[in-house]
Amino acid sequence: MHENKIHHKTLRLMGNRFTISVVSDNKSWAESQIDNAIIEISRIEKLLTTFNDDSQTNQINQNAGKKPVKVDKEVFDLISRSLRISTLTDGAFDITYGSLDKRFWNFDKAMTSLPDAATAKQSVDLIDYQNVVLDENNQTVFLKKQGMRIGFGGIGKGYAAERAKQILIQNGVESGIVNAAGDLTTWGNQPNGKPWTIAIADPDKQNVAFSYLNISGLAVATSGNYEKYVIIDGKKYSHTIDPKTGFPVSGIKSVTIICPNAELADAMATPVTVMGVSAGLSLINQMQQIACIIIDDDNQIFTSNNIKIS
């Protein structure tokens, strides 16, 4: 009788580090299942990438202000769900961020000052989810203004992780984790029968945990300013841009979202950062089956009503 073990593989997909873990007593079967998950993530990457002229995302962007583009149902549905999250977060989440002028926001050593308010506002002029027109009958997507661009940086990793999980479950994998650069989704239990233990990173000390969660059948996503930021006049600005003002957000070090679906967890982490502590928590508290942990710039910890951390 072979015993259950965790078999895993780490590789770079969608520009991120993915680790796929499968619990099984059969190593070669587990590895073939992991390969199936990788094929699925690679398929989604081809569909959503902006680095390939032929991708559906780029077809939509190239025809902005010109004509609607017919897309696969999968892409249409993902855009439709993205727009619903934009409505829910009052535009704090917005897939039309692709037009953002990167010259202002390279977040490197050369960045020593913020642009003036008018320039910043102009840099986000084309960001507006309300200018994305979906035609369900013809399955087309149209961006109203020329120069508009969509991108799936805020939701794509979570969607891919969720799809990979579904493929693994369909193929009979009873327990596992798909971890997309810290946005992860879990199901089943560890080989010892206990739930998975997930560490939440300390925003001030990477690779150190400030808290642990025991979860199964849940997804966790964290958005933190510790990965990419600049300090100007003693104030820390994260790489997350508020689509309304064009300025980077400050005040929050990290937001962790816990819910049953990796796509939603991924998509909600950034807008809560943009909305700030009180508005962000208020929104999460109105939603079903979703919890949130926020650490602000003063290291105060805030949690939604339905979660206790030890």
Side-chain angles (χ1 to χ4, degrees), residues 12 65 79 84-85 89 106 112 115 153 157 182 198 211 231 237 248 258 261 269 273 287:
R12 209 168 165 74
I79 293 172
R84 282 209 294 277
I85 293 169
T89 61
N106 44 14
T112 54
K157 289 201 312 272
I198 307 300
S211 179
I231 292 172
Y237 294 94
I258 304 123
N261 181 290
T273 308
M287 294 170 69

Side-chain angles (χ1 to χ4, degrees), residues 183-196:
D183 295 353
L184 55 88
T185 183
T186 66
W187 70 104
N189 292 310
Q190 300 181 64
N192 64 8
K194 290 183 177 162
W196 298 100

Side-chain angles (χ1 to χ4, degrees), residues 112-145:
T112 54
S113 64
L114 296 173
D116 63 87
T119 310
K121 190 85 182 81
Q122 201 182 348
S123 82
V124 293
D125 206 26
L126 288 166
I127 301 178
D128 188 351
Y129 71 94
Q130 289 169 319
N131 287 330
V132 181
V133 182
L134 297 183
D135 179 336
E136 202 155 357
N137 294 333
N138 295 312
Q139 217 169 283
T140 59
V141 182
F142 176 55
L143 308 181
K144 281 188 193 173
K145 292 186 179 177

Side-chain angles (χ1 to χ4, degrees), residues 15-35:
N16 289 282
R17 185 186 148 120
F18 273 74
T19 301
I20 300 158
S21 307
V22 159
V23 174
S24 173
D25 61 359
N26 182 328
K27 185 171 186 276
S28 62
W29 181 81
E31 285 171 354
S32 71
Q33 297 312 324
I34 290 170
D35 288 342

Side-chain angles (χ1 to χ4, degrees), residues 29-254:
W29 181 81
E31 285 171 354
S32 71
Q33 297 312 324
I34 290 170
D35 288 342
N36 288 334
I38 292 166
I39 290 165
E40 176 66 0
I41 296 163
S42 304
R43 180 188 73 77
I44 291 166
E45 180 171 15
K46 281 196 189 75
L47 210 56
L48 304 183
T49 183
T50 50
F51 295 110
N52 172 359
D53 289 344
D54 300 333
S55 78
Q56 297 193 9
T57 310
N58 269 345
Q59 296 294 319
I60 295 167
N61 292 341
Q62 281 157 13
N63 287 288
K66 297 175 194 163
K67 62 174 206 253
V69 174
K70 189 168 171 59
V71 295
D72 293 358
K73 185 173 184 335
E74 180 178 13
V75 174
F76 186 90
D77 289 347
L78 181 62
I79 293 172
S80 178
R81 292 195 299 275
S82 297
L83 297 182
R84 282 209 294 277
I85 293 169
S86 292
T87 306
L88 184 71
T89 61
D90 193 24
F93 174 87
D94 197 322
I95 57 167
T96 66
Y97 73 89
S99 60
L100 190 68
D101 194 328
K102 297 289 191 292
R103 283 172 313 184
F104 300 122
W105 306 125
N106 44 14
F107 291 94
D108 61 12
K109 301 274 188 293
M111 189 173 165
T112 54
S113 64
L114 296 173
D116 63 87
T119 310
K121 190 85 182 81
Q122 201 182 348
S123 82
V124 293
D125 206 26
L126 288 166
I127 301 178
D128 188 351
Y129 71 94
Q130 289 169 319
N131 287 330
V132 181
V133 182
L134 297 183
D135 179 336
E136 202 155 357
N137 294 333
N138 295 312
Q139 217 169 283
T140 59
V141 182
F142 176 55
L143 308 181
K144 281 188 193 173
K145 292 186 179 177
Q146 231 165 331
M148 275 182 79
R149 292 174 61 81
I150 60 167
F152 295 98
I155 196 169
K157 289 201 312 272
Y159 174 62
E162 199 59 39
R163 281 293 313 144
K165 170 186 160 179
Q166 296 308 330
I167 293 281
L168 291 166
I169 290 171
Q170 280 164 24
N171 290 346
V173 176
E174 289 175 9
S175 303
I177 297 181
V178 180
N179 185 343
D183 295 353
L184 55 88
T185 183
T186 66
W187 70 104
N189 292 310
Q190 300 181 64
N192 64 8
K194 290 183 177 162
W196 298 100
T197 300
I198 307 300
I200 299 192
D202 183 326
D204 294 325
K205 302 189 216 56
Q206 270 180 298
N207 306 323
V208 175
F210 95 89
S211 179
Y212 292 93
L213 298 168
N214 291 323
I215 60 169
S216 175
L218 289 173
V220 177
T222 298
S223 175
N225 72 2
Y226 46 86
E227 282 155 3
K228 219 174 181 189
Y229 62 89
V230 285
I231 292 172
I232 295 169
D233 298 334
K235 191 171 182 184
K236 190 174 186 177
Y237 294 94
S238 91
H239 69 289
T240 304
I241 304 289
D242 181 339
K244 290 197 177 69
T245 63
F247 279 117
V249 298
S250 59
I252 287 180
K253 283 185 180 176
S254 79

